[in-house]
Amino acid sequence: MSIGDWRLKTEDWGPWLCIGLLLASCARAPKPKTPQTAPVTAPSGPAGALVPLPALVEIGPGQYFTITPTTVILANADPAVRRIAADLAERIRRATGITPDMPAVWADLFAGPVVELVVQADAAALGDEGYDLSIGANLVSVKARTPAGLFYGVQTLRQLLPYWGEYEAVMFRQPRPATLPAVHIRDAPRFPWRGAMLDVARHFFSVDEVKRYVDVLALHKMNRLHLHLSDDQGWRIEIRTWPALTERGGQTEVGGGPGGFYTQAQYADLVAYAAARFVMIVPEIDMPGHTNAALASYAELNCNGQAPPVFTGTDVGFSAMCVDKDVTYRFIDDVVGEIAGLTKGPYFHMGGDEVKTLTPEQYRGFVERVQTIVQAHGKQMIGWDEVAATRLSPTSIVQHWRPDAAHGELGRAPHLILSPGNRAYLDMKYDRDTALGLNWAGFVPVKTAYDWDPATLVPEASAAAILGLEAPLWSETLANIRDVEFLALPRLAAIAELGWSPVATHDWESFRLRLGAQGPRWTAMGINFYRAPEIPWRQ
Ligand code: TNX
């Protein structure tokens, strides 16, 4: 049975759920349409625990799997695979009090239950990020062509384990064996670009705070974290050839707080932390507008040679680099060069949005010159959708954000990332009572964030041009990671599902019930998510 018709078959799944997930209350499978006031259950069957929904979920022919003190994890010697296996072992320990052995050699000696993690170079059908997970009485098998696919298979497994495995320190007086439902899942993402953006410029977030956000992305199989590293209110990354950027430009933020910045070593640590979770950091230095922090740090970047004061308000559009001066391009070359050297991925985002003080000709000339610089440092350029009005080379990428951007131009973009403000902007308020966030693109309740199709949003764009989607979170109103989490979740999970799950499975009723099932897990992770009243949160 494919997951597309799971709702028709929920009665078949009820017994498995009862055994597999140890829920006492489900002698009869619940109907998916749970009234908001009734006690809450997710859709029956293993899929009820999963966000994003896998492409194919079949109820296994065999028995559920029990994790016991004799359970072993088999993984080959590849360091990436060993790391994934060690992570799984730790999650199992937290969920059960049992630490599975990870023997260094494969053997047929294991009579007890086995969890195997297998990278199969010839599993071409699974693609770059797909996996196959089957759970039977004595064997849990995760197979993939790449470590990334294996990682996503393990994230699915993680959502099938008891939620209390997300607590950092669970102490068990004695092991508490857990079961996993008998199931076969074959899964691969719909889009290669499943991103989030965090604005660390308007307010600064520490390395540890950003790592927490990376953890949330990885759990939901997202694979890009775009960092907005500079804006009018702050410059957040050390540039050795232009030290005042952080010595002066990094010391402020919206509201006048102390700001902050990442040293290059800290940034490299963040890149490595994210990469270990298959999240690529995409750096953005916004230009020629949104540059007051840089202009305040170096007088020569200004046309009049005078540095403006630092800025701690929230206006946009007033600042611009002096596009007619050579020093501007020497500066950009140095900045792009240093950041490119720290960046594993092939992308550099140059911003390009909301410039109100340049002529269209000045703007076009600037973007095209920056595109050349970015490429000279071996990177592909990304820009906000204003850059669609310039001559872009075939490798460049346009990030669509303005709901009213000209579709004709977007349709000509070589590549597109979709972040429509009225759907994907996590800094829009949920409704008029939301204390944090903005509302220039309207209110964005969870259903609005979920109920759209990236493939048809810009009818003029060819399917091949659409890389995927990204959920930006701008931080004018967000002082710390708790505020970030409140606006991000649950909507980030909606964007994750749009990026991962096949369009044929799109179903708000199914999604909201599965979302409700994430509540205990997110709570155990300490996430300050918004308990949207339309979602049946499980206690
Ligand atoms: C527009 S989105 C901006 C940001 C603001 C954001 C607030 C974009 C490319 N520019 O400068 O922070 O709106 O939602």
Side-chain angles (χ1 to χ4, degrees), residues 202 290 353-354 384 401 425 427-428 438 440 474 476:
R202 268 53 176 275
H290 290 277
D353 58 312
E354 296 181 312
W384 295 107
W401 70 279
Y425 266 39
D427 61 315
M428 293 302 112
L438 307 172
W440 65 261
W474 301 95
E476 286 95 332

Side-chain angles (χ1 to χ4, degrees), residues 373-386:
I373 295 172
V374 169
Q375 290 175 348
H377 289 287
K379 302 294 180 192
Q380 280 171 253
M381 187 183 83
I382 310 176
W384 295 107
D385 63 25
E386 286 90 332

Side-chain angles (χ1 to χ4, degrees), residues 135-220:
I135 300 177
N138 285 307
L139 179 66
V140 173
S141 178
V142 192
K143 294 187 174 136
R145 194 179 65 76
T146 62
L150 213 53
F151 180 81
Y152 295 129
V154 167
Q155 298 316 303
T156 297
L157 212 44
R158 176 177 171 189
Q159 291 187 342
L160 294 172
L161 281 166
Y163 72 85
W164 56 82
E166 304 294 342
Y167 286 111
E168 266 174 39
V170 184
M171 301 300 283
F172 292 89
R173 278 177 196 277
Q174 53 194 43
R176 183 172 352 167
T179 58
L180 292 164
V183 71
H184 173 226
I185 292 175
R186 201 175 169 81
D187 198 11
R190 182 176 178 199
F191 292 108
W193 192 288
R194 305 178 304 280
M197 187 216 81
L198 187 59
D199 172 10
V200 298
R202 268 53 176 275
H203 278 94
F204 180 66
F205 303 102
S206 70
V207 171
D208 283 346
E209 287 178 310
V210 179
K211 284 180 176 175
R212 254 183 87 85
Y213 205 50
V214 169
D215 291 344
V216 174
L217 299 185
L219 170 61
H220 300 98

Side-chain angles (χ1 to χ4, degrees), residues 447-507:
K447 189 167 193 282
T448 302
Y450 176 74
D451 251 347
W452 60 287
D453 182 359
T456 56
L457 183 77
V458 181
E460 293 82 353
S462 74
I466 297 172
L467 297 178
L469 65 174
E470 190 174 293
L473 185 39
W474 301 95
S475 64
E476 286 95 332
T477 67
L478 312 176
N480 54 48
I481 197 70
R482 279 177 288 118
D483 295 351
V484 166
E485 290 169 354
F486 184 80
L487 285 183
L489 287 164
R491 291 179 294 191
L492 186 69
I495 301 299
E497 175 138 330
L498 288 181
W500 183 280
S501 307
V503 66
T505 66
H506 190 93
D507 181 315

